[in-house]
Amino acid sequence: MSRKNLFQTLTLAAVALFAASCSEKKFTVTGEIENAKDSVLYFENISLSGPVVVDSVKLDETGDFSFSDAAHESPEFYRLRISGQIINLSSDSTETVTVKARYPEMSWKYEVSGSENCKKIQELSYLQIDLQNRCVAIADSPELSVAAANDSIAKVIEAYKENVKTNYIIREPMKPYAYFALFQAIGPRLIFNPRENREDIKMFAAVATSWDTFYPNAERGQNLHNIALEGMKTMRILDSENKPLEIEASKVKETSVIELSLLDNKGIERKLSSLKGNVVLLDFHSFEANESPERIMQLRSLYNKYRAQGFEIYQVAVGTNEHFWKTSVAALPWVSVFDRTGAAMSTYNVSSIPTFFLLDRNCTPVKRDIMIKDIDAEIKALL
């Protein structure tokens, strides 16, 4: 190769490399930290293995900084840190987030713009700091015995969890701030503890299910599944009274469609017969039951495995809390309806839940769960 050709080749390669670097999507954090001259500001990615330093800068008298990281396909979490002072952030797009703060009170006094998720994380961080301060004040109160202090702290934490559960996790479980809320802690203990509390397991499972839909390949979503499933296993070990439900088998008609017509969470009428042409799992379910999160994950596994071959789920929810049902099914990919009167249960002679029926491609009931030993084999046979 001649010198001229070699020069042209190297030039084109450099241009291509420059173009690729310019086109790479970035997540950028910029801003200023006042009163922090000569302090080292770290920009860290909160990976599943722990904090990883992405970049750092020694601040001058202006406190100006700018950090970037490659954008991810699913939400990621970061933090700005000077010593023990931390500002938590999230990235779910190629957005630029601006942060303004003053050291050394940057953890509880900062401004953030450019990201609604980061603003919600700020709200949660402030709430957590307030909770911790209240718990410390109760523990240090000379007027309370140890037992009384522990009881008061437990009530304060429970009220906090109810607020966060309702206004941050259940409301939009697919959002990064809902994920962030699950891992808040007081000292070394998680506020939502899936190792000890069934209701907390439900929250982890709800966010995991939602992430399956919005970020199907996210490692964090799979991690949530693993945490929820491990919590369920722990609960079964600890709860000696957790026995399998005994469901009476009853025969169903095998010659025609036993029609159901109920409203889904958007108020749209959904007929069971509309799924004709698919193998259908007709599921009767209570989202308020302790075993609900595990059951939903099992159904999702079946749905993901066989959906492309013509498998559908028609899920009939029963219970008293319709609002909880609506938020629980918002991210589910199958048909989910609510049986307000109990008519659907009566139609299918259902006396206890959970229970399900397998329907063939004509929407004719073939078998009930009590008759099925291998659900995969039964679905494959009908497909």
Side-chain angles (χ1 to χ4, degrees), residues 131-189:
L131 173 66
Q132 186 155 322
N133 289 338
R134 292 169 66 191
C135 289
V136 170
I138 293 171
D140 291 344
S141 174
E143 300 176 358
L144 295 175
S145 66
V146 173
N150 288 339
D151 183 62
S152 295
I153 289 173
K155 289 178 179 177
V156 168
I157 292 175
E158 194 57 39
Y160 177 90
K161 290 172 66 175
E162 191 62 33
N163 174 39
V164 171
K165 183 192 308 182
T166 303
N167 295 310
Y168 294 90
I169 299 177
I170 296 176
R171 177 169 291 180
E172 292 184 300
M174 79 294 296
K175 296 291 188 179
Y177 67 80
Y179 181 102
F180 176 83
L182 293 176
F183 294 95
Q184 288 189 295
I186 296 181
R189 293 181 61 83

Side-chain angles (χ1 to χ4, degrees), residues 23-232:
S23 64
E24 184 182 20
K25 294 181 178 179
K26 294 283 188 178
F27 168 65
T28 301
V29 182
T30 186
E32 61 184 51
I33 309 293
E34 295 181 8
N35 197 41
K37 182 182 178 182
D38 295 330
S39 296
V40 177
L41 176 66
Y42 293 93
F43 178 51
E44 300 174 328
N45 172 230
I46 309 303
S47 74
L48 291 175
S49 301
V52 177
V53 175
V54 177
D55 201 353
S56 64
V57 64
K58 187 175 182 179
L59 298 173
D60 59 20
E61 61 275 359
T62 68
D64 293 342
F65 67 89
S66 182
F67 297 121
S68 292
D69 194 21
H72 298 262
E73 293 182 0
S74 57
E76 264 304 319
F77 297 86
Y78 296 87
R79 70 183 188 184
L80 297 172
R81 179 177 64 83
I82 298 178
S83 188
Q85 291 293 305
I86 291 169
I87 295 175
N88 288 294
L89 305 166
S90 75
S91 122
D92 63 343
S93 69
T94 55
E95 63 199 356
T96 295
V97 176
T98 302
V99 176
K100 293 184 178 182
R102 181 180 177 84
Y103 189 76
E105 61 266 27
M106 56 185 275
S107 289
W108 64 92
K109 285 185 181 180
Y110 68 91
E111 298 176 11
V112 61
S113 59
S115 168
E116 286 302 313
N117 275 302
C118 288
K119 288 184 178 180
K120 290 290 186 181
I121 287 175
Q122 180 187 36
E123 291 177 17
L124 286 163
S125 297
Y126 283 7
L127 288 172
Q128 178 187 6
I129 291 170
D130 178 67
L131 173 66
Q132 186 155 322
N133 289 338
R134 292 169 66 191
C135 289
V136 170
I138 293 171
D140 291 344
S141 174
E143 300 176 358
L144 295 175
S145 66
V146 173
N150 288 339
D151 183 62
S152 295
I153 289 173
K155 289 178 179 177
V156 168
I157 292 175
E158 194 57 39
Y160 177 90
K161 290 172 66 175
E162 191 62 33
N163 174 39
V164 171
K165 183 192 308 182
T166 303
N167 295 310
Y168 294 90
I169 299 177
I170 296 176
R171 177 169 291 180
E172 292 184 300
M174 79 294 296
K175 296 291 188 179
Y177 67 80
Y179 181 102
F180 176 83
L182 293 176
F183 294 95
Q184 288 189 295
I186 296 181
R189 293 181 61 83
L190 286 173
I191 296 172
F192 289 90
N193 192 339
R195 292 178 176 271
E196 299 179 358
N197 189 302
R198 285 189 175 86
E199 291 301 314
D200 294 353
I201 294 173
K202 288 183 182 180
M203 295 303 100
F204 274 82
V207 177
T209 299
S210 189
W211 276 51
D212 271 348
T213 299
F214 289 89
Y215 319 109
N217 299 315
E219 186 180 3
R220 290 184 183 276
Q222 186 57 53
N223 185 55
L224 288 175
H225 272 292
N226 293 338
I227 291 172
L229 289 171
E230 190 63 34
M232 293 170 193

